[in-house]
Amino acid sequence: MSGSRGRLWSLLHNRWLVFVAAMWVQAVAGTGYLFGSLSPVIKSSLGYNQRQIARLGVAKDLGDSIGFLAGTLCEILPLWAALLVGVLQNFVGYGWVWLVVTGRTPRMPLWAMCVLIFVATNGETYFNTAALVSCVQNFPKSRGPVVGILKGFAGLSGAILTQIFAMIHTPDHAALLFVVAVGPSMVVISLMFIVRPVGGHRQVRPSDQSSFMFVYSVCLLLAAYLMGVMLLEDLVDLGHTVIVVLTLLLLLLLLAPVVLPLLLTFHLDVVSPVQEPLLPEPSQGEETSQSAEQNEVILSEVEDEKPSDVDLLPESERQKRIAHLQAKLLQAAADGAVRVKKRRGPRRGEDFTLMQALIKADFWLMFLSLLLGSGSGLTVIDNLGQMSESLGYNEAHIFVSMISIWNFLGRVGGGYLSELIVRDRAYPRPVALACFQAVMAIGHLFFAMAWPGTMYIGTLLIGLGYGAHWAIVPAAASELFGLKNFGALYNFLTVANPAGSLIFSGLITSVIYDDEAAKQAHGGINSLRGALLGEEEPLKCTGTICFFLSSLIMSGLCVIAVILSLVLVYRTTSVYLNLYGRARA
C-alpha cells in the first residue's frame, strides 16, 4: 500500500505530468484564433459593419498581447490563483458576449463590446504565462523544446475547439461563443492545481531526448489528423456519427502524451524523481572563466582599432589579440598620446535593458519587421470569415481551422529551421525570418488573385509565415539583446501584433471593404429592401474585389519586411559569427 501511495505521490510531482497538463491548458488557450469564426456571427446579429468588426479585432489583439498584469500576478500569486483569474476573465468576457449576441441581455454599445472582447482574450495571457513559467522552471535545460511545443499547442487550439463544436451539431452558430466561454474554463479549472513548479531540476533523465521526440511525434500526428479531418468535412458531407467518431479520436490523440509520466513513474523509474540529486554545480574553473568573461572590459578605442577579422578567430587567439591591442592603447594613454575611456553600454549579444535596446537601430529593425510581417498575417486571421464569405464559401470554420494548424507548424518548423541555420551555418537567425516573410508576400498575392482554390493556398502560406515569426523573433531577440531582461524585451515586441492589426485591419482593410460594400449596396436589392422595411442592413461585399487592393498592400508590406530583415542580417553577421562560428570551428 505504501509503495502504491509513493508511486502516486511521485506521479503527482512528476514534471512530465505538469508538462502534459500545460499542453492541455495551451490546447484550449488560443481562443483568439477563433475570432475569424466568431466575427461573422457578431456582425450579423448586431448589425455591425466591417469597421466595427475591425475595432473588435483590435480589442482582441490587445487582449491577447498585453500580458504585463498576468506576468506580475504569476510572480505574486500561486499559479493556480493566476489561472483562476484567467478563467474568470474568459468565462465572463465570452459569456457576456454570447448573452448579448443571442438577445438574452440588452444590446451594448460598441465600446462595451470591445471591453468584453479585451477581457475575454486577456484571459489567455494567464493561461500562457502559468504554463510557460511552470514548465521552464521544471525543464531548465530544455527550454527551447518546451516553449516550442507549448506555443504550438496554443496555435492548434482554434482547430481543436472548432472540431469539438462540429461534434455538438447545432445550427446555432452563436453557440460557438458559449463553447469558447465554458470549454476552456472547465479544462483549466480541472488542471490548475497540477500546473506548477515541482523541482524539475532534480528530475533530469537520460531518456529526456527520446521523450521529447515522442511528444513532437504526437504533435505532428495531431496536426496531420486535424488537417485530414477538416478537409474531409469540407469536401464530403459527413454524417453526425462519423463526426463524433473523428472527434473522439482527436481527443484520444490529445490524451496520448499522458503515457509518458505514467511509464516514467510506474515502469521505468526505480527511484522517486524527487530523490534524484541536484544538477551538478559548475566547477571552479568554469566559474572563473564565466566571471572573467562577464567582467571583460574592452576599451572603446579597441573596438575602433581592431581588425575586422579578429572576431572570426578562435576564442583564445581573439582574447590574445584584443589584450595585446588594449595593452598598447593603455601604454599610449600613459604616455599622453591618446585619451582612453571605457565603452558605454553593452555590445550586441550582451544583456540590454529595455531602455538600452530602444536606442539601438537593430531593435527597431526587428520591431518594424515584426509589425509588418505578423501584422499583415494577423489581419488575414481576423478577416478570414469575411474573406471566405466574399468568395462564396458558406463556412469559414474550415479556413480558421487550417490557419490554426499551419500556424502551429510554422512555429515548430520556423524554430527548427532557424536553429539549423545558426548552428550549422552560423548565419544570422533573421535570414529565416526574411524567407518566411517572402512566403507571406506570395500568400497575400494568392488572396488578391482569388482564383479557385487560392483560399486554401493563401491560408497555408500566411499561417506558416505568421507562426514562424513567433518562433524566430524571440530567439533572435535573446541572442542580440541577452536573456537577463528578456521578459521586458519580449513584451515590448508583442505590441507589434495589436499595432499591426490596428493599422492594417482597422485603417486599411476594413475601410476598403466597407467602401466596396457601399458601392455594391448603392441602388441594389439590399438597400431597396431595407428602405421598404425601414431597416438598415449591414454592409456586405461579395466578389474578388472586396479584398483585392488590401491583399496587394499586405503583400507589399511583407516585401518591405523582407528588406528590413535583410538589413538586420547584414548588421548582425559578425555577432552570429561570434556566437556560433567559433563553436563550429
Side-chain angles (χ1 to χ4, degrees):
M1 180 65 72
S2 61
S4 300
R5 188 176 302 171
R7 289 289 186 178
L8 180 60
W9 190 90
S10 296
L11 174 64
L12 294 177
H13 290 77
N14 191 295
R15 64 176 182 165
W16 285 100
L17 180 66
V18 176
F19 185 37
V20 172
M23 290 162 55
W24 292 338
V25 168
Q26 291 293 85
V28 297
T31 54
Y33 295 112
L34 284 170
F35 188 77
S37 293
L38 299 175
S39 58
V41 179
I42 299 173
K43 182 178 181 180
S44 60
S45 299
L46 303 181
Y48 286 165
N49 58 34
Q50 193 62 22
R51 296 187 191 183
Q52 292 169 314
I53 288 295
R55 293 191 183 103
L56 289 179
V58 172
K60 182 267 297 183
D61 297 331
L62 287 172
D64 60 23
S65 298
I66 299 177
F68 297 109
L69 182 58
T72 303
L73 289 182
C74 282
E75 294 179 358
I76 299 174
L77 301 175
L79 288 185
W80 66 264
L83 286 170
L84 188 59
V85 173
V87 166
L88 291 174
Q89 289 194 201
N90 181 84
F91 182 75
V92 172
Y94 282 119
W96 206 329
V97 171
W98 173 73
L99 292 173
V100 172
V101 167
T102 55
R104 289 176 169 83
T105 58
R107 181 168 173 170
M108 303 178 69
L110 179 62
W111 67 264
M113 294 296 292
C114 288
V115 171
L116 288 178
I117 292 293
F118 174 87
V119 169
T121 54
N122 190 249
E124 299 177 31
T125 63
Y126 294 87
F127 304 156
N128 292 329
T129 304
L132 291 173
V133 166
S134 60
C135 290
V136 166
Q137 291 185 20
N138 289 332
F139 293 85
K141 298 296 184 182
S142 306
R143 299 178 190 181
V146 165
V147 174
I149 291 169
L150 291 178
K151 296 297 287 184
F153 266 88
L156 276 182
S157 59
I160 294 170
L161 292 172
T162 298
Q163 184 60 31
I164 293 174
F165 176 71
M167 183 180 67
I168 298 175
H169 192 61
T170 174
D172 181 15
H173 288 182
L176 181 58
L177 280 165
F178 182 81
V179 171
V180 173
V182 175
S185 301
M186 293 176 61
V187 171
V188 175
I189 287 176
S190 65
L191 299 171
M192 64 183 185
F193 292 109
I194 298 177
V195 179
R196 71 213 189 281
V198 291
H201 58 288
R202 294 191 292 259
Q203 300 182 30
V204 176
R205 296 287 185 276
S207 60
D208 282 349
Q209 185 174 0
S210 58
S211 298
F212 276 116
M213 292 305 298
F214 172 75
V215 176
Y216 268 121
S217 301
V218 171
C219 292
L220 295 177
L221 181 61
L222 185 62
Y225 178 78
L226 275 170
M227 177 58 64
V229 169
M230 295 302 170
L231 289 176
L232 188 63
E233 290 177 349
D234 186 54
L235 299 175
V236 181
D237 187 14
L238 300 177
H240 181 244
T241 303
V242 177
I243 293 177
V244 170
V245 171
L246 292 175
T247 306
L248 291 177
L249 290 175
L250 169 64
L251 296 177
L252 286 177
L253 281 175
L254 285 172
L255 293 173
V258 79
V259 171
L260 270 178
L262 292 175
L263 285 176
L264 290 172
T265 301
F266 292 101
H267 295 284
L268 301 181
D269 278 349
V270 178
V271 182
S272 174
V274 295
Q275 296 175 344
E276 288 292 323
L278 293 173
L279 292 175
E281 299 292 336
S283 64
Q284 186 67 32
E286 290 175 341
E287 290 180 349
T288 303
S289 63
Q290 290 173 2
S291 61
E293 182 179 348
Q294 292 173 355
N295 294 329
E296 176 190 11
V297 176
I298 299 180
L299 305 180
S300 59
E301 286 77 5
V302 174
E303 290 294 321
D304 298 332
E305 298 294 334
K306 71 178 183 180
S308 58
D309 60 347
V310 167
D311 286 334
L312 306 181
L313 297 173
E315 181 63 21
S316 58
E317 183 63 25
R318 172 179 172 273
Q319 294 291 349
K320 290 180 182 178
R321 294 282 293 275
I322 289 177
H324 178 68
L325 184 56
Q326 188 157 283
K328 290 174 63 178
L329 282 169
L330 288 173
Q331 182 61 43
D335 296 338
V338 297
R339 182 181 179 183
V340 175
K341 58 182 179 179
K342 290 188 177 181
R343 174 177 50 87
R344 294 181 179 179
R347 292 177 298 170
R348 287 173 298 184
E350 298 176 352
D351 289 323
F352 282 72
T353 65
L354 178 59
M355 296 306 298
Q356 289 172 331
L358 287 176
I359 62 174
K360 295 296 181 182
D362 294 337
F363 187 80
W364 286 107
L365 283 170
M366 184 181 298
F367 180 85
L368 292 175
S369 177
L370 178 63
L371 186 146
L372 296 175
S374 70
S376 67
L378 193 60
T379 299
V380 171
I381 293 174
D382 288 346
N383 290 278
L384 264 181
Q386 287 72 39
M387 294 177 79
S388 59
E389 284 184 356
S390 67
L391 296 178
Y393 293 94
N394 295 325
E395 296 289 339
H397 301 306
I398 177 65
F399 299 107
V400 174
S401 301
M402 287 177 63
I403 206 164
S404 179
I405 294 169
W406 300 130
N407 179 23
F408 159 74
L409 293 177
R411 295 183 184 204
V412 175
Y416 178 75
L417 291 176
S418 67
E419 196 70 16
L420 288 181
I421 288 174
V422 298
R423 295 286 179 184
D424 295 349
R425 300 291 181 181
Y427 292 157
R429 198 178 294 268
V431 167
L433 184 63
C435 293
F436 279 102
Q437 287 167 340
V439 168
M440 290 186 70
I442 298 172
H444 287 298
L445 285 178
F446 274 108
F447 279 125
M449 296 300 104
W451 297 317
T454 52
M455 273 291 294
Y456 295 96
I457 301 174
T459 301
L460 162 67
L461 299 180
I462 298 299
L464 288 175
Y466 175 80
H469 277 75
W470 296 105
I472 298 171
V473 171
S478 68
E479 290 163 339
L480 295 177
F481 304 105
L483 286 169
K484 185 177 180 181
N485 301 292
F486 175 69
L489 297 169
Y490 176 72
N491 277 321
F492 187 89
L493 289 171
T494 58
V495 175
N497 239 17
S501 175
L502 174 63
I503 298 171
F504 307 144
S505 183
L507 302 179
I508 297 178
T509 303
S510 62
V511 172
I512 295 174
Y513 178 94
D514 283 344
D515 183 60
E516 295 295 337
K519 291 178 182 178
Q520 293 181 5
H522 182 67
I525 296 177
N526 288 341
S527 62
L528 178 61
R529 187 175 67 177
L532 293 174
L533 298 177
E535 299 174 351
E536 183 180 353
E537 294 210 349
L539 293 174
K540 181 176 289 188
C541 180
T542 57
T544 60
I545 194 64
C546 302
F547 290 93
F548 173 75
L549 180 59
S550 57
S551 294
L552 287 181
I553 294 173
M554 296 300 114
S555 181
L557 293 175
C558 285
V559 172
I560 297 175
V562 171
I563 296 173
L564 294 176
S565 296
L566 291 178
V567 172
L568 184 61
V569 168
Y570 174 76
R571 290 174 56 89
T572 59
T573 299
S574 61
V575 179
Y576 279 89
L577 284 173
N578 218 15
L579 288 172
Y580 298 103
R582 293 196 301 273
R584 290 178 60 231

